[in-house]
Structures are given as C-alpha cells and as structure tokens.
C-alpha cells in the first residue's frame, strides 16, 4: 500500500532549538496538509499545499512556524525557536481530493 | 471558520452490536465529508467519505448518513468488533477544500 512517510517519528528537543519535520507524500497526490494534534485542541490545520503552492497557513504561528514544499516528494514543517507549548503530534496528510486523504504516522514532538 | 463537533465523547458498545457515532458541522457550504478512525499511536485512517449530493453511502460494515438540512452526519458500524475500538473523527471541507476535524469520539468495544 502507498503510504505517507514522516520523519522523525519522535523528537525531543530543548526550548529554543530549531525543529524540522519532514513528510514524503504519496506519489501523484497534489494536496498536502500539516496538522497538529493535542488532547486539548484535537486536530488543528496548520498549513496546506496544492501542487506545491501554499494555499493556507493561517493556522500557524507565523513568527516561529514555516512550511514549505521544495519539491513534489517533500514537505517540511519548521519551528524556530521551539517552545514547550509546541509539544504535540504533527501529522502530514496527502491526497487528490477524491477518496479522502492519507495520513502519515506522525512526528511526536516534545519540547523541554 | 469551520466548526465540526461530535455529540458523545465516549461510546461503549457490546461486541456484535451496531455502533452509531454522530457529528455536527457548522458550515453549510461544506460539500465533502470524511470519517476517520485513529488507533493509539497511529495516524488517522480513512474509513469512508460522502459528498453533499448524496445522503447515504455504504462500505464494508460501515454506513455514513448525511443530513444537510440539519448539518449532521453519522457513522454506523455494523456488528462491532474489538478491532473497532478507536477514536473516530468526522471531517468536513470548507473554504477552498480546507479540511476541518471534529474533536473525536472514543469507541470502546466490550467483548
């Protein structure tokens, strides 16, 4: 089965450090989402891309978060500087708008 | 923005019984809806979807019902099995196909 690959699976970092999360969408999928999941807020949309163009990143704190798609096989989400409140599971999902969107296994981020 | 929420936080169901999970959405312009299942430590897994031009869609042991008049959808799981224990999310598209999720509903299957 085709899958969305996210790396790393787990990341523990100190407050103030830069964190980069990577996502390899399924080949042929033209839409990529980044979500953050916490117990309190559930799944929050951070950013999404269509055909590598950013369509919406209004869910991200702009001063510290950035999302890019340098090419069709890679999406990145960066946090600089990281803060303890950024601790969450970050999911990437890809799709074409038909048949739902496929999620990766997530990156569990802990900022201490 | 879009608000998507679930009515019941936890549903306990006897193995073999049918389960019904409900979801309300707020944006009448939403035209695509998806149900996801999330098991512990994993990403959400697609179960079934439905477009707004339909009111019912069936899959394997699952049925999604959509009532656009009251902005409500439900997921029915037939003959619930222990492997169905998970958190179930509804999601709806809004504004240029953004996808908003509800808070989730825990389903616990009692053997």
């Amino acid at each position: 089965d085709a899958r969305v690959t996210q790396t790393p699976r787990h990341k523990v970092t100190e407050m103030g450090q830069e964190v980069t999360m990577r996502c390899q969408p399924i080949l042929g999928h033209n839409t990529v989402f980044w979500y953050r999941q916490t117990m309190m807020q559930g799944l929050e949309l951070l950013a999404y891309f269509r055909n590598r163009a950013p369509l919406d990143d209004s869910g991200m704190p702009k001063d510290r978060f950035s999302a890019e798609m340098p090419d069709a096989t890679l999406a990145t989400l960066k946090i600089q500087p990281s803060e303890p409140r950024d601790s969450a599971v970050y999911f990437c999902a890809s799709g074409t708008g038909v048949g739902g969107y496929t999620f990766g296994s997530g990156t569990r981020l802990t900022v201490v | 923005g879009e608000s998507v929420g679930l009515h019941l936080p936890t549903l306990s169901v006897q193995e073999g019984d049918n389960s019904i999970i409900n979801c309300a959405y707020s944006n009448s312009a939403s035209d695509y809806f998806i149900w996801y299942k999330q098991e512990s430590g994993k990403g959400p897994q697609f179960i079934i979807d439905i477009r707004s031009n339909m009111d019912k869609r069936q899959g394997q042991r699952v049925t999604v019902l959509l009532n656009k008049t009251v902005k409500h959808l439900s997921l029915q799981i037939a003959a619930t099995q222990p492997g169905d224990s998970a958190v179930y999310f509804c999601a709806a598209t809004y504004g240029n196909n953004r996808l908003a999720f509800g808070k989730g509903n825990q389903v616990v299957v009692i053997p």
Side-chain angles (χ1 to χ4, degrees):
Chain A
D1 285 342
R3 59 174 64 184
V4 174
T5 303
Q6 289 187 247
T7 57
R9 287 296 311 274
H10 303 275
K11 176 72 176 179
V12 180
T13 191
E14 291 185 345
M15 181 174 61
Q17 297 298 304
E18 177 178 303
V19 175
T20 298
M21 291 169 272
R22 294 178 173 80
C23 168
Q24 181 178 358
I26 292 172
L27 189 64
H29 283 186
N30 66 345
T31 303
V32 175
F33 294 94
W34 280 106
Y35 286 90
R36 174 172 62 186
Q37 186 175 38
T38 61
M39 288 296 293
M40 293 298 295
Q41 299 297 327
L43 280 157
E44 301 174 277
L45 178 64
L46 297 176
Y48 88 106
F49 297 79
R50 182 168 297 138
N51 297 321
R52 294 177 55 204
L55 290 188
D56 184 12
D57 60 1
S58 59
M60 293 197 311
K62 297 290 191 308
D63 57 337
R64 299 186 300 108
F65 284 60
S66 62
E68 297 179 345
M69 280 200 74
D71 61 62
T73 65
L74 177 64
T76 62
L77 180 67
K78 291 186 180 181
I79 309 174
Q80 169 62 26
S82 58
E83 297 180 1
R85 59 180 167 152
D86 301 328
S87 297
V89 182
Y90 291 80
F91 287 105
C92 173
S94 73
T96 62
V98 176
Y101 296 93
T102 302
F103 279 73
S105 297
T107 294
R108 180 174 294 277
L109 174 66
T110 303
V111 183
V112 297
Chain B
E2 169 72 9
S3 172
V4 185
L6 294 172
H7 293 173
L8 300 175
T10 303
L11 174 66
S12 296
V13 58
Q14 204 71 37
E15 181 179 356
D17 288 352
N18 297 334
S19 304
I20 299 177
I21 308 164
N22 296 302
C23 177
Y25 61 97
S26 63
N27 192 330
S28 57
S30 293
D31 61 0
Y32 182 50
F33 306 87
I34 310 171
W35 280 100
Y36 283 91
K37 171 187 180 182
Q38 187 175 25
E39 296 173 284
S40 181
K42 298 183 179 179
Q45 178 186 3
F46 172 86
I47 300 173
I48 192 168
D49 60 354
I50 189 169
R51 294 208 173 266
S52 58
N53 60 350
M54 302 173 67
D55 53 18
K56 180 179 180 179
R57 191 159 186 233
Q58 289 184 288
Q60 187 177 13
R61 285 201 304 118
V62 293
T63 301
V64 55
L65 299 176
L66 175 63
N67 185 330
K68 294 181 289 295
T69 302
V70 295
K71 290 183 283 189
H72 180 273
L73 69 160
S74 65
L75 178 70
Q76 300 177 2
I77 305 173
T80 311
Q81 302 170 358
D84 295 328
S85 292
V87 177
Y88 289 80
F89 294 93
C90 63
T93 59
Y94 70 101
N96 201 14
N97 288 327
R98 295 169 180 80
L99 192 62
F101 281 79
K103 294 297 186 186
N105 191 337
Q106 177 80 51
V107 171
V108 177
V109 180
I110 303 166

